[in-house]
Amino acid sequence: MLQKLKQVKASDSLTFFLPKELNESEGAIFMDIGISAGFPSPADDFRETRISLDEELIRNKEATFFARVSGQSMIGAGLEDNDLLVIDRSIPPTNNKIAVCFLDGEFTVKRLRVEGNEVWLQPENPEYPIIKITEENNFIIWGIVTNVIKKV
């Protein structure tokens, strides 16, 4: 489903992937019955159809990438080692969005804090420092995280 694009080593390293072109017949089977998280309910009838996670998770295919994250700086936001991020480069960066940024030669994922003309990269782990972006930094907001895929 994913084609490996690029790997970058950093404190919160990201491995980038591109969405793969899918045939219309591809996709996992989707059981449209509703899965109870409480008491089981009998499923008298259900509908079986195919579902494409690309169609569910990607709004703008030309601007979307996947990246696998490592590091602990965003565990408070639910982003953990080996989680797969869906990143959309067409979404404007705004305050409180989780962004993949290129900072001084390394990729990192952090929450954006924007106040006026000032920008901070805020980790979601108190053991990591907040990073204030200054004119001396080589800084690019590369894309906005829209979804995270986890293994359980």
Side-chain angles (χ1 to χ4, degrees):
M1 179 186 284
L2 303 177
Q3 298 171 337
K4 190 170 185 176
L5 175 64
K6 182 179 179 182
Q7 184 167 349
V8 178
K9 295 292 182 190
S11 58
D12 286 327
S13 63
L14 300 171
T15 303
F16 290 92
F17 301 89
L18 288 170
K20 178 184 165 197
E21 292 292 330
L22 292 178
N23 298 328
E24 286 187 29
S25 63
E26 291 186 70
I29 294 177
F30 175 63
M31 306 296 280
D32 191 12
I33 59 172
I35 303 295
S36 174
F39 295 102
S41 62
D44 296 329
D45 61 295
F46 60 89
R47 187 171 49 150
E48 180 181 302
T49 177
R50 295 239 174 229
I51 186 171
S52 164
L53 290 180
D54 283 357
E55 289 177 12
E56 293 293 318
L57 300 176
I58 298 173
R59 292 183 226 159
N60 184 346
K61 187 168 187 160
E62 290 75 32
T64 299
F65 293 82
F66 297 91
R68 194 168 304 280
V69 69
S70 69
Q72 299 294 315
S73 71
M74 293 299 288
I75 59 174
L79 306 182
E80 301 175 30
D81 281 332
N82 294 315
D83 284 350
L84 191 61
L85 304 178
V86 181
I87 305 157
D88 190 332
R89 296 191 71 190
S90 69
I91 297 175
T94 57
N95 186 53
N96 212 33
K97 295 279 188 185
I98 295 176
V100 171
C101 302
F102 188 74
L103 176 63
D104 297 332
E106 296 184 352
F107 281 98
T108 189
V109 58
K110 299 285 185 284
R111 187 170 303 278
L112 294 175
R113 293 289 178 212
V114 181
E115 292 180 18
N117 290 331
E118 295 185 322
V119 177
W120 292 270
L121 301 182
Q122 181 167 338
E124 296 285 339
N125 181 339
E127 295 182 22
Y128 289 79
I130 296 172
I131 302 166
K132 182 176 182 181
I133 303 303
T134 67
E135 291 181 9
E136 289 78 37
N137 292 116
N138 179 10
F139 176 69
I140 298 170
I141 298 173
W142 199 78
I144 301 299
V145 176
T146 58
N147 292 286
V148 60
I149 302 169
K150 298 181 153 301
K151 291 185 181 180
V152 293

